[in-house]
Amino acid sequence: MAQDDVFKKLVAHCKEYGYVFPSSEIYDGLSAVYDYGQYGVELKNNIKKYWWESMVLLHENIVGLDSAIFMHPTIWKASGHVDAFNDPLIDNKDSKKRYRADVLIEEQLAKIDDKITKEVEKAKERFGASFDEKKFRETNPRVVANQAKYDELNARFSKALNSSDLSELRQIIIDNEIVCPISGSRNWTEVRQFNLMFSTEMGSTLEGSNKIYLRPETAQGIFVNFLNVQKTGRMKIPFGIAQIGKAFRNEIVARQFIFRMREFEQMEMQYFVRPGTELEWFAVWKDARMKWHQALGFGEENYRFHDHTKLAHYANAATDIEYRFPFGFKEVEGIHSRTDYDLSQHQQYSGKKLQYFDPEKGESYIPYVIETSIGVDRMFLQVIAAAYGEENIKKDDGTSDIRVVLRLPSFLAPVKLAVMPLVKKDGLPEIAEKIVHDLKFDFNCQYDDKDSIGRRYRRQDAIGTPYCITIDHQTIDDQTVTIRYRDSMEQERVNISGLKDIIFEKVSIGTLLKKL
Ligand code: GAP
C-alpha cells in the first residue's frame, strides 16, 4: 500500500474509533487544532504517564513542575522568542499557498537522500551477506553523484539559515527548481520572516492592558522557577525539572494531521549541570531517551538520531530522535545542550541572581542545561502509526478477510480488557458483569455483549484492546474463561481467580519502566 494511503487510513481510523476528532468539526473545523476522543484521551494520558514516571519516579534528582501558560511578557524578550522565533515563509503566486522556505528545501534534501537509500537497499538485496555498504557508498557512481548533490545543497542551506539570508533561501529554491506541489509552478514571492507566537491582551483597557503571549514552549516556565525549585527542594546539581503542558505556535504550514499543530502539548525536562560537564550529560540523555522510545518495541530500525549541523545560537550540541513515519523519517523529540543561555538571559532581564552555590566546588555559577523536549501529540501519532496494521486472515468458511488491528503496547492501550459473554442468556452476562466489577478498580475494562463474538473481537482489535475475556457455558461448570490475545489471536483457558494477576503482569507500567 502506498505510504500516503496508509496515512489517510490512519487519520480515518483515529476519527472512526474515537481517538482524534477535528476541532470544532460542526463548524467545519479549525485548521491544525484537534480534539481527543474517548480512546484518544486515554492513550494520551498513558503516554504522559510513561514519560512522567520515567523521569520523576525513576530519578531521585528529577522533580515535577506545573507552571502557568501566561507568563510575564519580558520572559519572551529575554528568551529571544520575540525577536527570533520566526519561520521563513514564501508564497506561490499561482496557487496562493504559503510554505516554509526551509521545509521546501528540507523536502528536496529528503528526496535526494531517499534516492541514495533506495540504491543502497537494492544493492543490499542483490549482494546479500557479502554486501559492503561503506564501499558501495564510496564507489557507486549514482550514489556518489547524489551524495555530492546532497552535501552541496545542505552546506548552502545551512549557511543561508545560519546567516538568516532570506534572499539566498529563495535563490536555493529557484536554483533547485523546487515547484509548488499544488500549482506545479516556480512563481515564488520573496521570503519573509513570520513570528510564531500567539499574543493576547491581559487586563482591561481602563487600567491599561498588557500584550502577553501564549507560551510557545513549556521550557521557560522551568527556567524562571529554577531557583524556587532548587532552594525549596534543596536540590544539588545535577538535577532536573520535568513539566508537561500546553504550548501554542502559529505554524505557517500546519499539515500532516497532529504532526504539526497550533495548540499542542509538550513534555520537557531541563537538566541543570556543572559548566564543562554538559556534553557528557548530553550523551547520557541522548542514550536514555532513545532507550525510552525503543522500549515500546516498535523496532530499533525505525528510529535514528539526526544531529544538528546548524546549531541555535544558544546551543553547543543538539540532536533529534526521528521515527520512520508513513511520510518518512521525522523528528519526534529534540535533545539540546542549551548552555547557560536561558538562565543568563533571565538573570540579565530580571535583574535577579539565578546562580547556584556548588558546595563541592565552593563557588557560585549559572548552571548549564541539557533539555529533552518531546511533543505529546507527535508521540501519539508515532505510536498510532507504529501500531496500525492490516492483515489478511482466513475465516472459518475458507474465505479471507482484512483484520485492522492497533498493536499498542499493553500499558498504553486505552482499554486493557474487554469482557464478553458468548451469549446474552444462561447467566453468562451476570458472570461477565461480575468480572468487570471486580477488575475495574485495577484496569480500564469494557463490557461488550453486542454482535457475534467475531465482530466483537474485531472491534476490540481496531481499538487496540490487548486482551478479550470470553465467558461461555464451560465457565458455569469450572469457573474458567478464555483469554484471547490481540496480536497472536491465540486463546488460552484460565481460571477467573487468576485473571487479575495475569493481566496485571502484562499491562503494568513497571514492566515497561524496568526495561529502561
Ligand atoms: N523547548 C524546546 C522546544 O520547544 P522544539 O524542537 O521546537 O523544541 C520540541 O519542540 C518538540 O515539540 C518537537 O520535537 C515536537 O515533538 C514537538 N512540537 C514542536 N512543534 C510542534 C507542533 N507545532 N505541533 C506538534 N508538536 C510540536
Side-chain angles (χ1 to χ4, degrees):
M1 203 188 321
Q3 292 301 293
D4 262 7
D5 294 340
V6 174
F7 192 59
K8 278 190 195 134
K9 283 190 176 193
L10 268 184
V11 177
H13 190 87
C14 281
K15 168 119 197 276
E16 189 180 345
Y17 286 94
Y19 272 89
V20 184
F21 306 127
S23 159
S24 325
E25 196 184 6
I26 59 169
Y27 291 95
D28 296 332
L30 185 64
S31 174
V33 186
Y34 289 88
D35 298 336
Y36 288 85
Q38 65 276 26
Y39 297 124
V41 66
E42 298 287 345
L43 172 56
K44 210 175 173 208
N45 283 341
N46 292 340
I47 289 172
K48 289 194 263 185
K49 192 170 161 70
Y50 176 39
W51 184 86
W52 187 263
E53 302 213 339
S54 74
M55 290 290 174
V56 174
L57 207 69
L58 296 194
H59 298 91
E60 270 177 41
N61 64 343
I62 300 183
V63 293
L65 178 77
D66 184 12
S67 69
I69 288 172
F70 291 146
M71 293 197 275
H72 195 287
T74 309
I75 286 176
W76 304 110
K77 191 82 192 144
S79 67
H81 284 82
V82 171
D83 296 322
F85 194 50
N86 300 321
D87 274 344
L89 67 84
I90 189 165
D91 294 285
N92 182 267
K93 291 183 198 164
D94 298 320
S95 67
K96 312 269 181 269
K97 289 279 171 204
R98 181 161 287 178
Y99 299 92
R100 268 174 61 177
D102 55 334
V103 171
L104 286 177
I105 300 169
E106 271 165 12
E107 283 171 357
Q108 182 75 1
L109 282 165
K111 273 188 202 156
I112 306 173
D113 196 37
D114 269 0
K115 279 188 194 159
I116 299 173
T117 309
K118 278 196 187 123
E119 205 76 53
V120 173
E121 293 294 323
K122 254 192 340 205
K124 211 181 258 173
E125 249 173 53
R126 208 169 48 236
F127 295 113
S130 63
F131 182 58
D132 181 344
E133 183 173 332
K134 187 167 175 287
K135 193 162 170 212
F136 180 79
R137 281 180 180 271
E138 283 166 3
T139 53
N140 179 278
R142 276 190 301 270
V143 171
V144 171
N146 274 322
Q147 191 61 52
K149 208 164 147 190
Y150 183 97
D151 293 342
E152 191 194 332
L153 175 56
N154 199 25
R156 196 174 161 196
F157 174 48
S158 297
K159 192 167 167 222
L161 271 188
N162 278 329
S163 55
S164 298
D165 188 342
L166 302 184
S167 56
E168 170 66 353
L169 281 178
R170 180 173 188 275
Q171 200 54 48
I172 293 175
I173 290 171
I174 305 286
D175 292 349
N176 283 272
E177 303 184 345
I178 296 174
V179 296
C180 164
I182 308 287
S183 67
S185 88
R186 289 183 232 148
N187 198 4
W188 297 109
T189 60
E190 296 304 311
V191 177
R192 282 165 295 146
Q193 291 287 26
F194 177 80
N195 192 285
L196 300 185
M197 279 199 296
F198 284 103
S199 64
T200 186
E201 302 285 321
M202 183 175 263
S204 73
T205 34
L206 268 182
E207 31 170 279
S209 64
N210 240 338
K211 182 176 181 179
I212 56 162
Y213 298 97
L214 273 72
R215 65 180 179 200
E217 62 172 14
T218 59
Q220 298 303 324
I222 295 181
F223 288 123
V224 297
N225 277 294
F226 153 72
L227 265 194
N228 283 339
V229 174
Q230 190 272 317
K231 291 212 162 114
T232 56
R234 305 200 308 171
M235 309 298 290
K236 281 212 176 74
I237 267 178
F239 74 91
I241 305 178
Q243 168 158 242
I244 300 179
K246 288 267 185 176
F248 304 84
R249 296 182 189 179
N250 196 3
E251 297 282 359
I252 303 164
V253 186
R255 272 184 286 148
Q256 291 162 327
F257 191 39
I258 53 172
F259 184 82
R260 199 175 300 287
M261 302 160 87
R262 296 202 164 106
E263 173 181 339
F264 58 102
E265 235 175 324
Q266 285 186 317
M267 306 188 278
E268 299 201 291
M269 195 278 298
Q270 317 294 132
Y271 202 69
F272 300 91
V273 304
R274 200 178 267 175
T277 63
E278 71 276 8
L279 292 181
E280 280 161 49
W281 284 112
F282 177 73
V284 168
W285 280 107
K286 229 177 122 169
D287 190 43
R289 294 305 303 148
M290 185 57 104
K291 265 205 188 118
W292 184 88
H293 286 276
Q294 293 187 343
L296 291 174
F298 292 128
E300 292 185 10
E301 69 286 1
N302 292 318
Y303 299 87
R304 70 180 187 192
F305 285 114
H306 171 238
D307 293 331
H308 291 203
T309 43
K310 181 212 172 230
L311 290 173
H313 58 283
Y314 52 77
N316 64 4
T319 193
D320 297 333
I321 294 179
E322 295 186 337
Y323 176 75
R324 195 199 300 260
F325 283 95
F327 40 85
F329 269 104
K330 295 276 177 224
E331 172 187 347
V332 182
E333 169 156 7
I335 302 156
H336 315 117
S337 173
R338 288 179 80 131
T339 66
D340 60 353
Y341 176 80
D342 302 85
L343 289 178
S344 301
Q345 287 290 103
H346 289 307
Q347 176 167 287
Q348 186 191 329
Y349 276 76
S350 68
K352 310 271 166 27
K353 270 213 157 134
L354 290 178
Q355 298 199 345
Y356 167 79
F357 177 74
D358 189 329
E360 280 168 38
K361 289 189 94 180
E363 64 182 57
S364 294
Y365 52 79
I366 296 179
Y368 273 45
V369 173
I370 305 301
E371 164 184 80
T372 72
S373 174
I374 172 169
V376 180
D377 313 83
R378 203 169 284 183
M379 183 62 197
F380 183 109
L381 182 61
Q382 190 259 284
V383 167
I384 288 273
Y388 184 86
E390 289 182 12
E391 54 189 41
N392 258 310
I393 52 165
K394 276 241 148 36
K395 294 208 290 191
D396 291 344
D397 62 7
T399 59
S400 65
D401 198 4
I402 303 262
R403 172 172 96 117
V404 174
V405 54
L406 277 189
R407 288 197 191 84
L408 294 168
S410 298
F411 168 72
L412 295 186
V415 180
K416 305 297 188 229
L417 70 154
V419 186
M420 310 170 167
L422 189 62
V423 290
K424 275 199 260 183
K425 55 183 183 179
D426 304 334
L428 303 190
E430 288 74 11
I431 302 175
E433 277 164 10
K434 174 148 190 340
I435 293 175
V436 171
H437 177 78
D438 290 345
L439 296 183
K440 72 181 176 195
F441 301 97
D442 298 293
F443 316 112
N444 192 335
C445 308
Q446 206 170 72
Y447 174 86
D448 192 0
D449 66 5
K450 284 179 209 77
D451 301 322
S452 70
I453 196 79
R455 287 183 76 153
R456 281 182 263 170
Y457 283 154
R458 286 305 165 70
R459 198 159 48 227
Q460 295 299 335
D461 287 344
I463 292 168
T465 308
Y467 311 106
C468 288
I469 310 298
T470 306
I471 289 84
D472 56 20
H473 290 93
Q474 189 182 329
T475 311
I476 300 170
D477 297 334
D478 65 5
Q479 298 295 298
T480 63
V481 292
T482 56
I483 175 164
R484 182 241 190 207
Y485 298 97
R486 177 197 63 201
D487 297 349
S488 63
M489 291 191 288
E490 273 167 16
Q491 301 193 14
E492 202 185 340
R493 202 123 201 134
V494 298
N495 276 308
I496 293 177
S497 58
L499 269 180
K500 186 173 161 185
D501 287 346
I502 295 172
I503 309 273
F504 186 82
E505 216 281 308
K506 295 181 193 300
V507 305
S508 151
I509 189 175
T511 313
L512 194 53
L513 293 176
K514 277 181 196 145
K515 292 188 195 167
L516 301 180

